[in-house]
Amino acid sequence: MTALAALRLPRPRLRRIRPILIVAASIAIVGGSYVANALRPAPVRPPVVQPAGAAQPAGAAQPALTAPGDAPNGATTGLAAIDHALKAWTTNLARNSNDFLSATYIATLYDARGRLTGDIGDYSRAQTAVAEALAVVPDYATAQVLHARLLQTLHDFPGALAAAQAILEKDPSVLQALATAGDAKLELGDVKGAAVSFASLETQAPGAAVTARLSRLAFIEGDTKSAVSLAQRAWDEASAAGQTGASLGWYAYLAGMTAISTGSPDAALSWFQKALAVWPDSYLAIAGAARAQAALGHVDAAIASYQQAIAIAPQPDALTALGDLYALKGEDKLAADQYATVEAIGRLAAINQQVYNRQLVLFSVNHERDLAEALRLAQQELEVRRDAYGYDAEAWALLANGRASDAEAAMTKALAFGTRDALLLYHAGEIANALGDTAKARDLLGQALAVDGALDPLSASRAQSSLETLR
């Protein structure tokens, strides 16, 4: 019997069910001006012949700093426009394999497409196209920056950091490279290094893109009050700067995620609705609204919202959350269908395990799937990505595998970052409980449950059950 065997999914009364925590990666969106160029009809180009190793084209603009979001800028940038432009630019590249500009536009468009669809395949196609561009002009800064950001998006954080630093060594003025370096450092657990990068960005290019990063940094450092106020400020700055559509909507999504992670599900729902007002097809904002609805006890509305989000992009965290809501309602067959899809996503490709590592680890532990594989995945990622959530995932998997003492050591490292996340507190409480430290367990579980709406339904019900038993 595993250490979590007693923590099976109960079916409590559905009052204010707490939503699933989405682990958010800090990734950058496509610059609006470059997407706008890529969306223009592609002219028939004369042969573009550039020898490998040629310098960047004269007069080429440096990539602009963009936000750590998930969608291209502009109100009208949608899948139909992207797909239309892709056909034109792909035709250009087919005529001339040395057309590095068309290859870069193709990469930009696939990147933008991926941020609307959540399809990892789009990012892989973007990687292929940007590699073609760099094979022709290795020093083309726009393609170099996109390459670094794609590595970040696909969770190759060491690769993203190395690529960004290589750009900065040649030209420290490329702010998007500095931003990507800071984002990668934060994901790798180098909080101080990320803070230095973001401080430099704030000095050189203050605005919403930097403020959003500072909000995330504040949350990781445990300053939840600043995280909330900075997320609000980022939205205000983006609005004042005239941003629209998906770009503006992402800032509302950020504010909503920050609100629900800090115990304000009502405010979170308002933010997600604000995001959807300008970005109606955002699977992120729809799933965020479902989280908030579940936290507020609107279970049927949450189920409908999760179904809508999954229809756009079947992400493991949304599928798991929907399955848990079904299970709490006693609809075991529907729950099993969602869980089976999560497992299928994990088996589909190695890149899925890289991108969805932590979602898959937590899913496997919480639903008593392959616990040994969950621990392997957690420890494999921790070899390079040593942040609070990496140590937390390892700790939770260690506990599930009956290694409570080792779990405590890993959780101590997770909590050392100072992050005030209800999920970390809940996991720490269960580890303390397994080790017989009832006073510590009661304190930690109480702290986790006090952050209203921040725990997913499964974790909240288990934490409440454990706390009542301890009392």
Side-chain angles (χ1 to χ4, degrees), residues 375-414:
L375 180 58
R376 185 193 70 79
L377 281 178
Q379 292 181 328
Q380 176 179 285
E381 184 173 59
L382 197 58
E383 291 177 4
V384 293
R385 194 181 177 194
R386 299 185 181 91
D387 66 338
Y389 296 99
Y391 287 114
D392 170 70
E394 182 193 36
W396 200 230
L398 284 166
L399 180 64
N401 280 275
R403 297 167 57 182
S405 295
D406 292 334
E408 182 184 36
M411 183 53 67
T412 298
K413 294 178 182 178

Side-chain angles (χ1 to χ4, degrees), residues 51-54 100 103-104 127-148:
F100 64 94
T104 304
Q127 278 191 319
T128 299
V130 82
E132 291 183 58
L134 290 172
V136 178
V137 185
D139 293 331
Y140 186 28
T142 299
Q144 288 178 330
V145 167
L146 180 54
H147 170 65

Side-chain angles (χ1 to χ4, degrees), residues 131-445:
E132 291 183 58
L134 290 172
V136 178
V137 185
D139 293 331
Y140 186 28
T142 299
Q144 288 178 330
V145 167
L146 180 54
H147 170 65
R149 288 197 296 101
L150 285 166
L151 291 172
Q152 174 84 3
T153 298
L154 293 173
H155 288 204
D156 181 358
F157 301 112
L161 179 58
Q165 288 177 329
I167 296 169
L168 293 169
E169 287 175 4
K170 295 179 180 178
D171 186 355
S173 71
V174 182
L175 296 184
Q176 185 59 62
L178 179 59
T180 299
D183 294 340
K185 289 175 183 177
L186 191 60
E187 293 297 328
L188 291 168
D190 183 5
V191 178
K192 291 182 179 178
V196 171
S197 295
F198 296 160
S200 179
L201 280 175
E202 188 176 29
T203 299
Q204 299 180 69
V210 183
T211 304
R213 289 178 165 87
L214 294 175
S215 174
R216 175 65 178 163
L217 176 65
F219 183 81
I220 293 298
E221 292 182 319
D223 186 355
T224 55
K225 183 177 180 180
S226 292
V228 171
S229 63
L230 285 166
Q232 168 76 61
R233 196 179 96 192
W235 160 267
D236 292 340
E237 291 171 342
S239 299
Q243 295 196 43
T244 58
S247 179
L248 179 62
W250 183 83
Y251 289 102
Y253 168 75
L254 168 68
M257 292 294 292
T258 307
I260 205 162
S261 297
T262 54
S264 300
D266 286 297
L269 183 57
S270 295
W271 278 114
F272 293 131
Q273 291 170 340
K274 187 177 292 190
L276 289 169
V278 295
W279 188 13
D281 296 327
S282 169
Y283 69 90
L284 293 168
I286 296 168
R291 289 188 55 186
Q293 288 163 339
L296 294 167
H298 307 154
V299 178
D300 290 337
I303 288 174
S305 294
Y306 275 128
Q307 289 172 335
Q308 183 183 358
I310 289 165
I312 298 171
Q315 300 293 295
D317 40 28
L319 287 160
T320 300
L322 178 59
D324 289 348
L325 289 178
Y326 281 141
L328 287 166
K329 291 187 69 175
E331 299 180 16
D332 295 339
K333 175 62 169 63
L334 290 174
D337 290 342
Q338 313 313 310
Y339 298 154
T341 305
V342 175
E343 291 181 299
I345 290 172
R347 293 192 300 266
L348 191 61
I351 188 63
N352 286 8
Q353 292 187 357
Q354 179 173 299
V355 173
Y356 301 126
N357 179 287
R358 290 167 187 183
Q359 290 99 318
L360 294 173
V361 170
L362 296 181
F363 168 80
S364 294
V365 173
N366 290 339
H367 301 86
E368 297 185 0
R369 276 8 192 215
D370 189 339
L371 300 181
E373 173 65 5
L375 180 58
R376 185 193 70 79
L377 281 178
Q379 292 181 328
Q380 176 179 285
E381 184 173 59
L382 197 58
E383 291 177 4
V384 293
R385 194 181 177 194
R386 299 185 181 91
D387 66 338
Y389 296 99
Y391 287 114
D392 170 70
E394 182 193 36
W396 200 230
L398 284 166
L399 180 64
N401 280 275
R403 297 167 57 182
S405 295
D406 292 334
E408 182 184 36
M411 183 53 67
T412 298
K413 294 178 182 178
L415 296 178
F417 284 82
T419 308
R420 297 292 301 171
D421 190 311
L423 192 67
L424 304 188
L425 295 169
Y426 160 57
H427 289 170
E430 292 290 10
I431 291 169
N433 190 18
L435 290 171
D437 191 341
T438 55
K440 183 177 180 180
R442 282 197 300 268
D443 177 55
L444 289 166
L445 292 172

